[in-house]
């Protein structure tokens, strides 16, 4: 919520910043997928909204396994791979206390989104995505935009705890080939231009499958990844 609050304050105060609409477009995960499908479909994962309210029966006919996540969340909360309809039903059957927390956390974002980016649709929903094989490596592209021009700060390799989705460490300089890093920056440039992101840091999380050479965007964060600022400073100066 800090990036959205900062954009709203900058707009009100006439300070340098990017538009609140661009922040909303990046943070609304379903809308971001739709934008990416238009501007960089080769880097998008298959996706669809989960057409069920919290706790409602899961529709029949979905493809499994799949990766489920909230349309608006933080720190991968409630995001996980599910193997079956029964598992997805259990994952989305929240108790009264959980629903209270979910709705109160998302509602401030939803109120701004309804007034500034209504085409994105409701934020109180879940998103289904194509799962990626556990052995596919994950990376982070960090950069900044100034005057509408996109610049790369660097790429960080994410090293996971074996057999988990938990990060063990980050490595920079990246071992990823320069050609793939250039492709990632090109995807970021197209996406950021499309949503009107013209000023500030950004972080693009992505997969790269070395076997197929496929690059797939996980998500865009309209801010710098805070854990990398110190890492870049120590390595790059």
């Amino acid at each position: 919520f800090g990036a959205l609050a900062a954009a709203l304050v900058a707009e009100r105060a006439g300070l340098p910043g990017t538009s609140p609409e661009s922040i909303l477009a990046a943070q609304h995960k379903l809308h971001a997928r739709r934008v990416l499908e238009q501007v960089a479909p080769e880097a998008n994962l298959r996706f669809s909204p989960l057409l069920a309210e919290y706790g409602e029966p899961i529709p029949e006919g979905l493809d499994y396994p799949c990766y489920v996540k909230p349309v608006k969340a933080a720190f991968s909360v409630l995001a996980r791979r599910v193997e079956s309809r029964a598992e997805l039903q259990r994952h989305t059957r929240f108790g009264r206390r959980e629903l209270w927390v979910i709705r109160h956390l998302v509602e401030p974002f939803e109120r701004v989104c309804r007034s500034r980016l209504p085409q994105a649709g409701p934020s109180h929903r879940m998103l289904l995505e194509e799962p990626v094989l556990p052995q596919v490596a994950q990376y982070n592209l960090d950069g900044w935009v100034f005057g509408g021009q996109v610049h790369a700060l660097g790429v960080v390799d994410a090293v996971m705890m074996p057999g988990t989705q938990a990060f063990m460490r980050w490595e920079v300089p990246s071992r990823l080939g320069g050609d793939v890093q250039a492709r990632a920056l090109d995807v970021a440039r197209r996406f950021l231009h499309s949503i009107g992101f013209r000023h500030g840091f950004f972080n693009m999380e992505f997969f790269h499958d070395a076997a197929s050479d496929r690059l797939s965007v996980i998500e865009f964060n309209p801010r710098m990844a805070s854990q990398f600022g110190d890492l870049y400073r120590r390595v790059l100066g």
Side-chain angles (χ1 to χ4, degrees):
F1 295 105
L4 179 56
L8 291 166
V9 169
E11 180 184 67
R12 181 72 62 87
L15 297 171
T18 197
S19 68
E21 287 82 0
S22 68
I23 302 292
L24 292 163
Q27 291 188 333
H28 191 292
K29 298 183 192 301
L30 177 58
H31 181 76
R33 284 279 174 217
R34 289 168 172 160
V35 172
L36 195 62
E37 189 65 22
Q38 294 297 315
V39 301
E42 77 283 1
N44 208 5
L45 295 169
R46 295 193 306 274
F47 69 97
S48 65
L50 177 59
L51 300 177
E53 299 291 332
Y54 298 139
E56 286 187 349
I58 298 300
E60 301 279 0
L62 300 179
D63 292 328
Y64 298 97
C66 64
Y67 198 81
V68 59
K69 62 173 67 169
V71 163
K72 177 67 184 87
F75 306 113
S76 299
V77 173
L78 298 177
R80 60 168 294 183
R81 177 185 169 114
V82 294
E83 304 292 332
S84 65
R85 181 174 181 267
E87 190 175 351
L88 181 56
Q89 183 70 64
R90 287 194 301 271
H91 181 63
T92 56
R93 190 168 290 282
F94 309 119
R96 291 176 59 187
R97 184 175 179 179
E98 292 171 307
L99 286 172
W100 188 92
V101 171
I102 291 168
R103 286 176 174 141
H104 282 74
L105 283 176
V106 176
E107 189 55 33
F109 178 88
E110 172 74 354
R111 287 201 304 270
V112 180
C113 200
R114 279 198 302 263
S115 65
R116 302 295 294 263
L117 196 72
Q119 65 268 34
S123 309
H124 291 290
R125 62 198 309 186
M126 304 291 279
L127 171 66
L128 303 178
E129 294 179 346
E130 166 193 357
V132 175
L133 294 174
Q135 63 267 30
V136 174
Q138 182 172 330
Y139 302 89
N140 295 268
L141 167 67
D142 295 282
W144 75 94
V145 185
F146 184 75
Q149 298 298 310
V150 180
H151 307 271
L153 180 59
V155 172
V156 175
D157 299 354
V159 182
M160 304 296 190
M161 296 293 290
T164 76
Q165 293 180 333
F167 298 115
M168 180 165 62
R169 68 178 184 270
W170 313 104
E171 294 184 353
V172 67
S174 175
R175 301 183 186 189
L176 189 63
D179 59 328
V180 183
Q181 294 190 37
R183 281 162 50 197
L185 182 61
D186 178 61
V187 169
R189 185 177 288 113
R190 282 181 274 163
F191 177 83
L192 295 167
H193 176 76
S194 181
I195 66 172
F197 190 97
R198 297 186 52 81
H199 183 100
F201 283 101
F202 69 90
N203 165 263
M204 183 181 95
E205 300 176 35
F206 67 98
F207 294 114
H208 179 252
D209 186 340
S212 65
D213 196 32
R214 183 187 181 191
L215 184 153
S216 306
V217 172
I218 301 170
E219 65 183 27
F220 276 90
N221 298 302
R223 52 166 175 74
M224 183 159 182
S226 59
Q227 67 267 38
F228 298 153
D230 179 68
L231 181 62
Y232 283 120
R233 183 179 65 82
R234 290 177 181 273
V235 176
L236 304 177

